[in-house]
C-alpha cells in the first residue's frame, strides 16, 4: 500500500503491488478473500503460491498445461496462450492463465475452485515438482487369517501393498492387532519415508498433510500442505519466540555462552513457536493435527542447532564450526510438536556455519543446481548469503552485512512492520513540490521509521538526485539548492550530524522528531553493501566471470525480496545489470521446504547440494580488506 | 546335591552333578566361589559358560586352542590334548583343558585369571563365535579446527574412524560440540549397529557392555557381557514379575482380554523384571549401567508382545496370529531399562505364535541350521517346541504339553525350587531296603513336592521296576510284593485314588501327608509326553526319517535341561536312542541372546532362520488324534 499522495508507478523495479485474491470454494461456501503485497513483475501464479493460495497447475508455470485459469481485470494483457486456452467471450470476461500474468500494478484476482487432482505441483520459483511425497497412504482390504493362513498381521498388511515395502515401527505394531480386527480388516497404512508409522481404520487416504517451516531468526512461517494434492491449505507466520534473547544469531549464541540454562530455554522458545504455528495452520485448514505426518524445517545453522538443542557456541566463535552439516531426521514430537505421534521432522543440510539449511532450501526452490544460466543468489540480512552458479560449478559464501538491513544501528531504523517506510521515490522536478518525496509505508499509517528496503531506496534515490556523492557523503549544504531545489530544505543537522528528513510529522517539527536518514546510516549501509558486493565480486572472479555475465540475480529471503531491484542496482548491492534481470524470489526457504515435503526426489536433490556446492571462506583471504574498500563507493 | 543316603552314581544319564568353581582374580583380589549343578556329561567349559563364569578359549571347545586351562581333582581322566598342553608336573597337579573334562561326578574346579583378549568366544552349545559385536567403540585424537579446516565436528570425528561409517543420532550430535572441546579433542565414539549414539571424553574403549536376557514365562535370566572380551561378568535370574497374572501364557493373555488395563500392567511388570536384573548384574560386575549399550531379548511370542506393549489377544485364540514375526529394534529405555540412554534392545524373530524368539535363539545356540547331523531339538514346558533338522531341511512345530512339567495339575507338583524332588532312583534289590528309593532334592532339604524332572524320573523308574504297566496303570496291589518287594508297601491309596509314596515325613505318616505320585499324575504326564512325541514323530515322518536316524537329541530350556536323559528315553518323551545321544543343552535361549550380542553375523543368522525353517501346524492335521492315542503308552 502506498501512502496518500503517491501514484501508481509503472514496472521499473521499484515499489510494491497489491493483489486481492477472491478464492472460490467448490463446496459452495462463501469465497475466501486475501490480499498480498509483492514486488512488481512477480506472476499472479507465484504470488498466490508463495502466499499459500492454490491454483490448478501441472506444467510448472510454463504456460503449457493451460490449467491455472483465473479472472482478472479485463484490461490485463492477453498472452498467446490465453488466446489458445479461452474463448473470445472468456477473454473479454477477464479469464487469463495466472502463470503468464505479471503483477505490474494492483490487481483483483478471482481464483476458481480446484478442479484437478494433479500429479505435479508448482512451487518454488517456477519449479514444477512431480508429487512423490515421503508421506504415503495405502488403503487395503485384507483377508481374515485362518489355520491354513497364519501369516502375521504385519505380513498380511504389507503383502497387500504392492508398491512399497516399509519397515514397521513399534507404534504401528502396537496398534495393528486391534485396529485390523476392529475395522473388519479394512485399513489404511500410513507410511513416512519407508517406515510404517500407523494403521488407521477405514480409508483415510485423503487425509495426508505435512507442514513446511521457514524457521527464520526473526520471523517463522508455516505452510500446511495437502501432500496428496500438492496444494497449501493454510499459511501462518509469527515472530520467533527467541526474539527476547536477541535479535540476531550472534546475540542468541552469546546468551547461551553466558548461562547454560539459556540453551534449553531457546530450544523451548523455538518449539513453542513451531507448535503455535502448527496449531494455527491446522485450525485454518480444518485439518486434524493427527493427520500431519511430516514437517520440513529450513533454518540457518544457528536456528537449526537451537531447535534441536545442540550447543551453538562453536558457530559463534572462530573458526565457526557446525556440529553437523546434515541434522538427523527426528520425531516431530521431540521438537515439541503435537502432530501425529510418529510424525517425522526433516531438516535441510547446511553448507557452512553461515550458509545454512535455509539457503540450501532456497537453492532448491530456485533450481540453482539445475538452471544452466549464470545466476547470482543473494539472501540479504544481518548475515548475507551468496551463491553463484555458472550452470556448471556452484560457489557459495557468507558476508557479514551487519544489522543495517534489519533496521539495527540505523537512527530511525525499525523492522518491516506497520509504520515502516519501505519504498521511497524522490522527485526533483521543481514544479511539483508535493511529489518531492513519495513514501510507501507499511500498513498505510503515519511513518514511524525506516526499514531495510526503505533504507536502500533512500540512499539510492539520494545518490540518484545527487544529494549523496559517490563516496557516500552528503554534499555541502550550499550546493544542495542547486542540485535538488525541492529537497534542499530537508538536508539539515541533528547536533553535529547531517541528516536528510524523510518525513516530518507536522510542518514545524524539529529534525529530531522527524524520520530521517543520517550520515552515519549511510555509512552503515555502505559497509553492509560493500561486504555483500565484495562477496559476489570474489565469487564471480573465482569462476572467471564478469558482472555482465550474470543472467539473473535472485533477491531472496523475507528481506531481500522487498528491496527494490532498481535501488539495489543503484547502490551497487547487486551487479550493474538491467533491472529486469533482478528478480524478487520471495520466501525461497519456505518454498524449498514445501518442495522437500512434496517430493523425495527434490529432497535428495537438496542433500546432493552438499557435494555439488563449494563453500568459499572469505574471512581468511589476504586480499579481502582491499577489495572491501574498493566496494565502499556507490 | 543328593539327599543323604543317596550314593554318587556313574554317568548313566540320570541325576545331577555339582561343580564348585574357584575363580582366581588377576588383580590379586580373593578368588570368587561359585557352585553350579548340571546334568552329568556336560563339559566343565560349558558348565562354566552357561553360568557366566569366563574361561579362556578361542577354538570353540574343540580342544585345539589349548587355552581353557583349569585345575581339577587329580583323578580326572587325562585327554591326549592334555598331554600335549601340559607338563607331567602340571598334569599331576590337576591341570586339564576344561572343554575336554566331562562332569560325570561332583567336581572342584579352579579357574585361573583370564590371560587372553580373545577375538572369539565360545558360547551356546560348543559354538565358537568370532567377536564382532554391534557395539563398537573407537578412540580418536582429533585435530582442532581452524579457518582453513572448518569441517563439522561430526565429519572430523567420522573422518578419523577408518573402518566404520555410522549415522549419528541426535543424542550424539547434542553431546558432540561440548565433549570434543572439553576433552581436548581426545574422545571415544560409541557406535551401536551403525548408529553413532554417543561420544565420550577420553579413552573408554574398554567399557563396552551388553546384557543378554532370557525372558521366560516363569524365570528371567540376565547375563552381563563384556562384548570387547566376549566374557560374561555377571549373571542373575528371578521370577518374571508377571507371575501374579498367571503361570502360563494363556492365563496372562486371558487376563489382558478380561481387562484392558492389564496389558500396560503386564508390560510394566516385564519392564520391572528386566530393570531389576539389569541393575543386579551391573552391580555384580561392577559396571556403570551407562556403559551398557545394547540388550538382546529372547522370549516366546507372548512374552515378547507383552514387554513391547503389543496386544497379545490374537496369539491366544485360533488361528493364533502374531502381530509381527520380527519385532523392531527399540530403545532399551522404551522398555523401562535405565542403561545408556540410547542403548538398543534387539529381539529374536519368531517362527509362529508358539515357536517364538526363545526357540530361534536356541536354534542359534545349538547351530540347528549349521550342523549336518540329523538332530531333534525339544524345549519342554507347558508349551513344548520341537525342531527337527536332517542337515538340510529344518521343520518346527509346537505341542501343547499342558502344565505337568511345570508341576501344574500334579498332586504334589511344585516348581523346581528348594524342597522339590528332582531326581529319583528306585532299587528293587531286596537286601538293601534303605536304598529302595533314592531322592535328589533341590536345596538338600526335607522333600516337599515333585518338580517336572522328578515326575519324569518317578514314572520312568516305576515303569522300569514294573509297578506301572505300559498303559500307565499301577499294577494290582496283590502283584506288587512279587514285582518289587522292597517297594510294595509304598503303593497305597488316598481315598479312591491309587498313589505311590515317594517320601514319608515320618514312619507313621498317612499317605495324604506324604509326597506321592498319583494315578492321575501318571495320566497327566502320559498326555504331555504323547503330545510331544506325536509332534516329533510327525516331523520325522515329514522328513521321511526313522527314530534311529536321529543322531542327537537336544533337551533345552531351563526345564528340559534338567530331565534325566535316561528317564526321558524310558517314558518315550524322546526317541528310543542310546542315552549318550541325548544332550542337555542348558539355557539355550540365553546362550543365543549372548551370541547375538557378540556377533552381528550370528544375529543375521538368527534372522535368516525365519526363511530357513518351515513351521508345521499340527492342530489342523486330520490324523493328529489317532497318532496321539498311539503315543500314549510307555
Amino acid at each position: 500500500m502506498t501512502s496518500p499522495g503517491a501514484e501508481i508507478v509503472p514496472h521499473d523495479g521499484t515499489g510494491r503491488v497489491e493483489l486481492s485474491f477472491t478464492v472460490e470454494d467448490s463446496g459452495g461456501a462463501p469465497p475466501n478473500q486475501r490480499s498480498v503485497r509483492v514486488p512488481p513483475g512477480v506472476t499472479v501464479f507465484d504470488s498466490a503460491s508463495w502466499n499459500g493460495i492454490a491454483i490448478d497447475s501441472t506444467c510448472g508455470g510454463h504456460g503449457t498445461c493451460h490449467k491455472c485459469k483465473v479472472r482478472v481485470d479485463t484490461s490485463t494483457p492477453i498472452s498467446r496462450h490465453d488466446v489458445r486456452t479461452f474463448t473470445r467471450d472468456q477473454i473479454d470476461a477477464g479469464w487469463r492463465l495466472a502463470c503468464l500474468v505479471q503483477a505490474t500494478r494492483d490487481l483483483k484476482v478471482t481464483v476458481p475452485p480446484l478442479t484437478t487432482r494433479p500429479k505435479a505441483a508448482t512451487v518454488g520459483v517456477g519449479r514444477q515438482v512431480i508429487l512423490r511425497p515421503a508421506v504415503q497412504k495405502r488403503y487395503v482390504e485384507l483377508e481374515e487369517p485362518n489355520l491354513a493362513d497364519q501369516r502375521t498381521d504385519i505380513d498380511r498388511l504389507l503383502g497387500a501393498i504392492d508398491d512399497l515395502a516399509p519397515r514397521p515401527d513399534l507404534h504401528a505394531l502396537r496398534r495393528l492387532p486391534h485396529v485390523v480386527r476392529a475395522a473388519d480388516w479394512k485399513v489404511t497404512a500410513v507410511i513416512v519415508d519407508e517406515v510404517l508409522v500407523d494403521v488407521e481404520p477405514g480409508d483415510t487416504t485423503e487425509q495426508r498433510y505435512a507442514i513446511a517451516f521457514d524457521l527464520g531468526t526473526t520471523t517463522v512461517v508455516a505452510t500446511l500442505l495437502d501432500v496428496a494434492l500438492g496444494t497449501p491449505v493454510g499459511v501462518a507466520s509469527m515472530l520467533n519466540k527467541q526474539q527476547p534473547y536477541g535479535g540476531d544469531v550472534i546475540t542468541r549464541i552469546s546468551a547461551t555462552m553466558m548461562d547454560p540454562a539459556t540453551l534449553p530455554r531457546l530450544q523451548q522458545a523455538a518449539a513453542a513457536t513451531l507448535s503455535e504455528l502448527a496449531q494455527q495452520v491446522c485450525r485454518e485448514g480444518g485439518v486434524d493435527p493427527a493427520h500431519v505426518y511430516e514437517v520440513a524445517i529450513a533454518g540457518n545453522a544457528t536456528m537449526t542447532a537451537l531447535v534441536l538443542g545442540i550447543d551453538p557456541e562453536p558457530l559463534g566463535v572462530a573458526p565457526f564450526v557446525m556440529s553437523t552439516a546434515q541434522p538427523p531426521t527426528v520425531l516431530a514430537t521431540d521438537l515439541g510438536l503435537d502432530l501425529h505421534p510418529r510424525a517425522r521432522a526433516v531438516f535441510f543440510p547446511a553448507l557452512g556455519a553461515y550458509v545454512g539449511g535455509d539457503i540450501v532450501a532456497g537453492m532448491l526452490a530456485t533450481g540453482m543446481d539445475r538452471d544452466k544460466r549464470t545466476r547470482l543468489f543473494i539472501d540479504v540480512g544481518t548475515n548475507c548469503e551468496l551463491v553463484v552458479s555458472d550452470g556448471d560449478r556452484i560457489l557459495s559464501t557468507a558476508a557479514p552485512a551487519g544489522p543495517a538491513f534489519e533496521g539495527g544501528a540505523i537512527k530511525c531504523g525499525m523492522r518491516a512492520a506497520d509504520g515502516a517506510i519501505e519504498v521511497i521515490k524522490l522527485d526533483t522536478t521543481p514544479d511539483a513540490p508535493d511529489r518531492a518525496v513519495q513514501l510507501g509505508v507499511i500498513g498505510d499509517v503515519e511513518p514511524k521509521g525506516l526499514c531495510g528496503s526503505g533504507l536502500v531506496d533512500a540512499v539510492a534515490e539520494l545518490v540518484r538526485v545527487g544529494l549523496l556523492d559517490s563516496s557516500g557523503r552528503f554534499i555541502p549544504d550550499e550546493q544542495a539548492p542547486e542540485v535538488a531545489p525541492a529537497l534542499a530544505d530537508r538536508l539539515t543537522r541533528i547536533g553535529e550530524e547531517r541528516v536528510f528528513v524523510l518525513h516530518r510529522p507536522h510542518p514545524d517539527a524539529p529534525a529530531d522528531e522527524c524520520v530521517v536518514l543520517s550520515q552515519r546510516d549511510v555509512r552503515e549501509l555502505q559497509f553492509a553493501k560493500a561486504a555483500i558486493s565484495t562477496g559476489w565480486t570474489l565469487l564471480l572472479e573465482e569462476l572467471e566471470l564478469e558482472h555482465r555475465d550474470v543472467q539473473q540475480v535472485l533477491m531472496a529471503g523475507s528481506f531481500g525480496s522487498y528491496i527494490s531491484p532498481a535501488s539495489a542496482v543503484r547502490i551497487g548491492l547487486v551487479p550493474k545489470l538491467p533491472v529486469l534481470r533482478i528478480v524478487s524470489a520471495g520466501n525461497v526457504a519456505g518454498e524449498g521446504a514445501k518442495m522437500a515435503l512434496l517430493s523425495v526426489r527434490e529432497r535428495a536433490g537438496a542433500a546432493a547440494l552438499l557435494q555439488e556446492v563449494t563453500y568459499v571462506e572469505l574471512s581468511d583471504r589476504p586480499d579481502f580488506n582491499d577489495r572491501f574498500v574498493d566496494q565502499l563507493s556507490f
Side-chain angles (χ1 to χ4, degrees), chain A:
Chain A
M1 233 160 269
T2 49
S3 70
E7 62 171 5
I8 289 173
V9 292
H11 176 23
D12 65 350
T14 67
R16 203 65 33 85
V17 297
E18 177 168 312
L19 301 182
S20 307
F21 286 95
T22 302
V23 183
E24 295 174 345
D25 187 271
S26 63
N32 191 6
Q33 302 281 351
R34 282 278 297 282
S35 285
V36 306
R37 293 161 61 256
V38 296
V42 173
T43 69
V44 167
F45 187 88
D46 281 350
S47 306
S49 168
W50 298 353
N51 289 283
I53 297 164
I55 299 180
D56 281 331
S57 172
T58 57
C59 76
H62 298 295
T64 55
C65 77
H66 297 187
K67 287 209 159 70
C68 58
K69 300 173 182 179
V70 294
R71 233 167 51 235
V72 289
D73 295 351
T74 52
S75 62
T76 306
I78 302 160
S79 73
R80 66 194 166 88
H81 290 287
D82 289 329
V83 177
R84 286 195 215 149
T85 308
F86 300 107
T87 62
R88 189 70 244 172
D89 285 351
Q90 286 175 318
I91 287 175
D92 288 347
W95 285 100
R96 301 287 184 280
L97 292 177
C99 69
L100 297 170
V101 179
Q102 279 197 326
T104 56
R105 54 190 175 94
D106 291 356
L107 204 58
K108 290 191 198 321
V109 184
T110 303
V111 181
L114 293 179
T115 57
T116 53
R117 204 184 162 87
K119 293 234 164 51
T122 304
V123 282
V125 179
R127 296 291 309 279
Q128 190 193 31
V129 171
I130 306 293
L131 292 182
R132 182 58 187 81
V135 177
Q136 294 287 328
K137 284 192 165 185
R138 294 292 182 273
Y139 172 67
V140 290
E141 301 189 353
L142 305 173
E143 280 171 29
E144 275 193 55
N146 56 60
L147 280 177
D149 173 11
Q150 293 177 311
R151 276 179 303 161
T152 63
D153 290 345
I154 189 67
D155 285 350
R156 189 172 307 277
L157 177 69
L158 298 183
I161 298 172
D162 296 329
D163 58 337
L164 297 170
R167 168 170 52 83
D169 76 4
L170 183 56
H171 178 268
L173 288 169
R174 278 183 178 156
R175 303 236 312 146
L176 188 57
H178 177 73
V179 170
V180 288
R181 288 167 180 83
D184 201 20
W185 303 91
K186 296 179 176 68
V187 295
T188 300
V190 185
I191 296 141
V192 183
D193 204 13
E194 294 173 13
V195 179
L196 179 84
V197 298
D198 209 346
V199 53
E200 296 171 338
D203 185 350
T204 64
T205 44
E206 297 206 345
Q207 278 86 57
R208 256 210 282 170
Y209 299 93
I211 300 177
F213 286 106
D214 167 23
L215 176 57
T217 309
T218 306
T219 306
V220 184
V221 185
T223 306
L224 177 63
L225 288 174
D226 178 332
V227 297
L229 294 174
T231 52
V233 293
V235 183
S237 70
M238 63 166 64
L239 288 183
N240 189 326
K241 287 179 193 285
Q242 293 176 342
Q243 283 283 340
Y245 296 85
D248 55 56
V249 298
I250 292 296
T251 330
R252 290 188 208 165
I253 294 171
S254 305
T256 67
M257 290 162 68
M258 236 88 86
D259 176 2
T262 305
L263 173 56
R265 284 195 201 116
L266 284 171
Q267 190 184 357
Q268 282 155 24
T273 311
L274 298 182
S275 183
E276 204 170 310
L277 283 171
Q279 286 171 33
Q280 210 170 313
V281 290
C282 284
R283 225 171 15 243
E284 188 190 324
V287 168
D288 180 350
H291 285 138
V292 178
Y293 304 99
E294 193 172 45
V295 308
I297 298 175
N300 63 44
T302 305
M303 288 306 107
T304 301
L306 290 177
V307 76
L308 285 168
I310 297 173
D311 184 1
E313 179 173 340
L315 297 170
V317 293
F320 315 113
V321 171
M322 291 186 288
S323 168
T324 181
Q326 176 61 73
T329 295
V330 300
L331 292 180
T333 183
D334 291 340
L335 304 179
L337 286 164
D338 192 14
L339 305 170
H340 186 277
R342 302 301 289 177
R344 298 297 197 268
V346 297
F347 290 85
F348 281 85
L351 300 169
Y354 289 94
V355 180
D358 51 345
I359 301 307
V360 171
M363 291 169 72
L364 182 69
T366 54
M368 282 302 283
D369 58 332
R370 308 211 180 172
D371 206 302
K372 287 291 137 197
R373 288 175 293 178
T374 294
R375 296 161 99 203
L376 167 61
F377 173 104
I378 305 183
D379 190 317
V380 183
T382 301
N383 178 59
C384 177
E385 296 94 347
L386 301 166
V387 184
V388 174
S389 167
D390 64 3
D392 179 25
R393 289 175 65 198
I394 312 177
L395 304 184
S396 85
T397 193
F405 292 113
E406 309 205 4
I410 299 298
K411 191 166 196 74
C412 295
M414 66 178 287
R415 268 209 337 274
D418 279 358
I421 300 171
E422 59 168 352
V423 177
I424 294 168
K425 284 187 74 70
L426 302 180
D427 193 332
T428 49
T429 328
D431 59 346
D434 58 328
R435 277 162 47 187
V437 176
Q438 299 162 36
L439 304 177
V441 182
I442 299 177
D444 213 356
V445 295
E446 174 84 15
K448 286 189 290 196
L450 194 60
C451 71
S453 62
L455 174 68
V456 174
D457 266 10
V459 172
E461 286 289 275
L462 287 167
V463 169
R464 183 178 63 81
V465 302
L467 289 177
L468 277 173
D469 66 22
S470 68
S471 76
R473 197 186 320 246
F474 282 115
I475 60 171
D477 285 333
E478 57 277 19
Q479 294 176 16
E482 194 179 329
V483 168
L487 300 168
D489 65 324
R490 291 177 179 250
L491 199 58
T492 175
R493 276 185 164 75
I494 295 177
E496 287 301 294
E497 193 183 19
R498 301 185 72 198
V499 300
F500 181 83
V501 176
L502 291 164
H503 173 73
R504 241 187 260 280
H506 54 90
D508 306 323
D512 59 1
E513 289 176 17
C514 296
V515 180
V516 302
L517 177 80
S518 74
Q519 181 64 63
R520 209 172 293 143
D521 295 345
V522 178
R523 294 297 180 212
E524 289 287 341
L525 181 65
Q526 233 171 332
F527 275 77
K529 85 101 190 174
I532 294 169
S533 57
T534 305
W536 51 253
T537 300
L538 291 171
L539 290 188
L540 289 173
E541 279 177 18
E542 199 80 25
L543 292 175
E544 298 175 0
L545 293 172
E546 306 284 337
H547 290 193
R548 65 169 177 274
D549 295 331
V550 177
Q551 294 167 278
Q552 189 175 53
V553 178
L554 295 152
M555 303 274 286
S558 57
F559 197 76
S561 303
Y562 286 100
I563 294 177
S564 300
S567 298
V569 171
R570 249 182 245 137
I571 67 162
L573 186 62
V574 300
K576 299 254 178 273
L577 295 168
V579 162
L580 283 173
R581 289 202 206 166
I582 320 292
V583 174
S584 288
N587 171 13
V588 290
E591 289 298 305
K594 282 152 76 174
M595 289 174 69
L597 292 173
L598 295 179
S599 163
V600 289
R601 278 188 212 92
E602 297 292 344
R603 192 180 300 184
L609 284 170
L610 216 48
Q611 270 66 54
E612 293 168 12
V613 181
T614 307
Y615 178 76
V616 180
E617 177 64 44
L618 296 182
S619 62
D620 65 341
R621 280 183 68 134
D623 58 344
F624 183 82
N625 285 341
D626 286 347
R627 309 304 294 268
F628 180 81
V629 171
D630 290 348
Q631 295 290 334
L632 276 173
S633 67
F634 291 118

